[in-house]
Amino acid sequence: MAVAYPHLIPAENPASMESSLSALSPPPVLLTQDELKKIAAYKAVEFVESGMVLGLGTGSTAKHAVDRIGELLRQGKLKNIIGVPTSKKTHEQAVSLGIPLSDLDSHPVLDLAIDGADEVDPFLNLVKGRGGSLLREKMVESVCKKFVVIVDESKLVSHLGGSGLAMPVEVVPFCWKFTAKRLQDLFEDCGCVAKLRTCLEKNQPFVTDNGNYIVDLYIKKDIGDLKVASDAILRLAGVVEHGMFLDMATTVIVAGELGVKIIPKQLT
């Protein structure tokens, strides 16, 4: 099913990227998914200005953005940047790149956050957390003046859950089966199946940076009003946070085979 994004605005070609990534319309060769992610990430970093406090996202797409920020700092093109990482992994990456770091206690309002997403609907609502960092991501990205989301075009969906992949919910380990059953029952009419996320190599529960588990919801039908669904999930005792990021993104940058496009948030 084609997804309607009537307000797509073509972006200028990102001149700040290496020459192998700069010619975008049309590309001279078929780009891989990772190359598309890198293009979107580099374009997002163009929003960064010296002196900013930045939310540093987690995941394969956000990694490219963090790498680019580190590179620009080394080159002296960015100065006085402070990063607030959304996971232990991003913290380690930023330290290795020499990016100065802080936290929300010291910086309760951030200028900008850059992160990827697992799904983006036509209203810029997101599914995030398939990498396991949804709680810290939501804490950081909910207090940013601007939240720029970077994706390749495969992440665009007609409705959240439309990819058929996981809708993550972080839960406390205590009686997680009970919580998973309640989550599944909550969306029973949508054909929901709840599964505990496990580490493939050990077949043990995946544990978040916060010491919690993740229950992945696989939903076959549109769940309808997302704010109602969000409230219902959060009312369940045992639930810590869910991976629906509603009305948070201010800009989505999409890299596809025909180039980079920018989707701005529509003011209502």
Side-chain angles (χ1 to χ4, degrees):
M1 177 185 297
V3 182
Y5 287 80
H7 48 289
L8 285 175
I9 298 178
E12 59 181 331
N13 288 344
S16 63
M17 297 180 60
E18 282 81 7
S19 59
S20 62
L21 296 173
S22 61
L24 298 175
S25 300
V29 295
L30 186 63
L31 298 175
T32 66
Q33 186 179 39
D34 190 62
E35 287 169 332
L36 292 174
K37 290 178 179 180
K38 188 173 184 180
I39 289 171
Y42 274 49
K43 186 63 184 176
V45 175
E46 293 181 9
F47 286 78
V48 178
E49 299 176 1
S50 294
M52 280 187 167
V53 181
L54 302 174
L56 304 178
T58 297
S60 58
T61 308
K63 180 181 183 300
H64 290 305
V66 177
D67 283 341
R68 180 61 172 167
I69 291 167
E71 179 183 8
L72 294 175
L73 281 171
R74 288 195 304 273
Q75 295 173 352
K77 296 178 180 179
L78 284 177
K79 297 179 181 179
N80 301 320
I81 293 295
I82 297 174
V84 177
T86 55
S87 66
K88 293 179 180 178
K89 186 172 183 178
T90 300
H91 183 281
E92 293 171 357
Q93 178 193 4
V95 169
S96 72
L97 295 170
I99 300 174
L101 298 179
S102 188
D103 56 31
L104 295 179
D105 292 332
S106 300
H107 297 277
V109 178
L110 279 62
D111 296 300
L112 171 70
I114 299 175
D115 205 353
D118 301 306
E119 292 183 1
V120 181
D121 78 4
F123 304 99
L124 305 196
N125 295 311
L126 317 172
V127 169
K128 291 177 51 57
R130 291 179 190 153
S133 302
L134 62 109
L135 175 59
R136 297 191 186 190
E137 288 172 341
K138 189 169 285 190
M139 290 177 67
V140 170
E141 290 151 10
S142 65
V143 296
C144 294
K145 297 176 184 177
K146 295 181 180 180
F147 177 24
V148 178
V149 177
I150 45 180
V151 295
D152 65 87
E153 60 188 354
S154 71
K155 303 301 191 297
L156 303 182
V157 295
S158 59
H159 62 275
L160 294 194
S163 68
L165 301 175
M167 176 91 70
V169 181
E170 187 161 342
V171 304
V172 296
F174 176 74
C175 293
W176 68 263
K177 291 182 181 179
F178 170 77
T179 305
K181 177 65 165 57
R182 297 187 75 192
L183 286 166
Q184 182 169 296
D185 290 347
L186 196 60
F187 300 105
E188 182 179 10
D189 292 342
C190 301
C192 178
V193 176
K195 297 181 179 179
L196 180 71
R197 186 177 300 184
T198 59
C199 299
L200 295 177
E201 65 274 11
K202 297 180 181 179
N203 198 31
Q204 295 294 316
F206 173 89
V207 179
T208 71
D209 286 348
N210 317 299
N212 296 317
Y213 291 172
I214 288 183
V215 172
D216 287 322
L217 305 182
Y218 297 88
I219 301 173
K220 295 181 179 179
K221 300 178 183 178
D222 190 336
I223 61 176
D225 190 315
L226 298 176
K227 291 186 178 179
V228 171
S230 169
D231 290 344
I233 293 172
L234 294 175
R235 280 198 301 267
L236 295 180
V239 167
V240 178
E241 188 53 85
H242 59 69
M244 290 188 290
F245 284 50
L246 307 181
D247 197 30
M248 289 177 57
T250 56
T251 303
V252 174
I253 298 177
V254 185
E257 294 181 1
L258 298 180
V260 170
K261 294 181 180 180
I262 296 177
I263 310 175
K265 181 177 181 179
Q266 297 297 293
L267 299 177
T268 56

